[in-house]
Amino acid sequence: MSTGHVTRATDRRGIDVLTLAECLDRLSSTPVGRIAFVTSGGPVILPVNHAVDGTHVVFRTTVGSKLQIAEDAGRVAFEADGMDVRTRRGWSVLVKGVANPVYEADQVARYEGLGVLAWADLDPESAVWVRLRAEEITGREIVR
Amino acid sequence: MSTGHVTRATDRRGIDVLTLAECLDRLSSTPVGRIAFVTSGGPVILPVNHAVDGTHVVFRTTVGSKLQIAEDAGRVAFEADGMDVRTRRGWSVLVKGVANPVYEADQVARYEGLGVLAWADLDPESAVWVRLRAEEITGREIVR
């Protein structure tokens, strides 16, 4: 997707606001993101490898807390970014929504084909797919 | 800090558990992290440039929501990571605690000297320092 000729909206700080298509494009091309969820002790952030399926963010987990929040259909946030410290430019995309575990064989097969990296620690036998149904996707880019 | 000769604990998945000193070292040497806090609409994650002052994570913000959570002394999480997609190895550090705005001149001067990058969008006139008092710092490394 070319973004060079798109006239973008800017937010109140003069930062470029990414379109939904741009947000999904950035999420798709960035293999590592972070998921946040709320526990009794407050918010937690954990890194995940993800893929984008339509407007859903999907990832695998064997971790108790990430899986539990999905079992509970809890509210989560997902973030990916690309920050260039040298130029002090960067972008970030935030997805807010509800997470659910996915056990249906056809959906699992579909997600297996999305090319999500399996990290060295992930036991494929016990890994469960989690789907984040996006209710809000927003992105910003600092280009000045 | 050399970590090559430290015998590390491993968690239940066989991932190396970083020591507190290792966690602080990773946080200090990584200029970009992410902060999560809880709003009425659920958790939110935003990228920040940070520095480490003892066991405190400090950053500047002009953003309403990040500043508001600090004004409210809200519970936050801070995360930094380094993921190498090629080798499928990586590390992440999670800090949980309470955020507060810092207005005292001597503290502000101290933080100004920590070398936190100012991004292109940050208006130094309106930026406020936020200090995250860590209550828990944990880190993991996938080295297999």
Side-chain angles (χ1 to χ4, degrees):
Chain A
M1 184 183 64
S2 169
T3 60
H5 301 287
V6 176
T7 301
R8 288 181 179 160
T10 57
D11 74 2
R12 64 190 166 82
R13 289 177 296 157
I15 299 174
D16 274 11
V17 177
L18 300 179
T19 65
L20 175 60
E22 289 173 324
C23 288
L24 294 172
D25 192 53
R26 302 292 172 97
L27 291 178
S28 297
S29 59
T30 308
V32 180
R34 293 103 200 150
I35 191 159
F37 50 91
V38 184
T39 69
S40 58
V44 170
I45 310 177
L46 295 173
V48 294
N49 280 90
H50 66 282
V52 175
D53 181 41
T55 60
H56 298 157
V57 173
V58 299
F59 60 89
R60 271 177 296 202
T61 187
T62 57
V63 175
S65 53
K66 276 187 285 193
L67 186 54
Q68 190 60 52
I69 202 76
E71 296 282 3
D72 295 343
R75 297 203 64 82
V76 302
F78 178 86
E79 187 259 10
D81 59 53
M83 301 303 211
D84 185 330
V85 170
R86 190 181 56 79
T87 60
R88 302 189 185 187
R89 295 176 176 190
W91 60 269
S92 67
V93 171
L94 175 65
V95 181
K96 296 167 76 173
V98 173
N100 290 105
V102 175
Y103 298 110
E104 297 79 10
D106 59 336
Q107 283 294 317
V108 168
R110 176 187 177 86
Y111 296 164
E112 296 283 355
L114 292 177
V116 176
L117 289 177
W119 287 76
D121 66 311
L122 192 79
D123 173 11
E125 294 297 314
S126 59
V128 172
W129 283 95
V130 174
R131 173 181 52 218
L132 165 52
R133 292 180 183 273
E135 295 176 354
E136 184 182 316
I137 301 177
T138 52
R140 302 280 182 277
E141 181 159 42
I142 304 167
V143 293
R144 285 183 292 190
Chain B
M1 183 182 64
S2 168
T3 61
H5 301 287
V6 176
T7 300
R8 288 180 180 160
T10 56
D11 74 3
R12 63 190 166 81
R13 290 177 296 158
I15 299 174
D16 274 11
V17 176
L18 301 179
T19 66
L20 175 60
E22 289 172 324
C23 289
L24 294 172
D25 191 53
R26 301 291 172 99
L27 291 178
S28 296
S29 58
T30 307
V32 180
R34 293 103 201 149
I35 191 158
F37 50 91
V38 184
T39 69
S40 58
V44 169
I45 310 178
L46 294 173
V48 293
N49 280 90
H50 66 282
V52 175
D53 182 43
T55 60
H56 298 158
V57 174
V58 300
F59 60 90
R60 271 177 296 202
T61 187
T62 56
V63 174
S65 54
K66 275 187 285 194
L67 185 54
Q68 189 61 51
I69 204 76
E71 296 282 3
D72 295 344
R75 297 202 65 83
V76 302
F78 178 86
E79 188 258 10
D81 58 52
M83 300 303 212
D84 185 331
V85 170
R86 190 181 56 79
T87 61
R88 303 190 183 186
R89 294 177 176 190
W91 60 269
S92 68
V93 172
L94 174 65
V95 180
K96 297 168 76 174
V98 173
N100 290 105
V102 176
Y103 297 110
E104 297 80 8
D106 58 336
Q107 282 295 318
V108 168
R110 175 187 178 86
Y111 295 163
E112 296 283 354
L114 292 177
V116 175
L117 289 177
W119 287 77
D121 68 310
L122 193 79
D123 174 12
E125 293 298 314
S126 59
V128 172
W129 283 95
V130 174
R131 173 180 53 219
L132 164 52
R133 292 180 183 273
E135 295 177 354
E136 184 182 316
I137 301 176
T138 52
R140 301 280 184 277
E141 181 159 41
I142 303 168
V143 292
R144 285 183 292 189

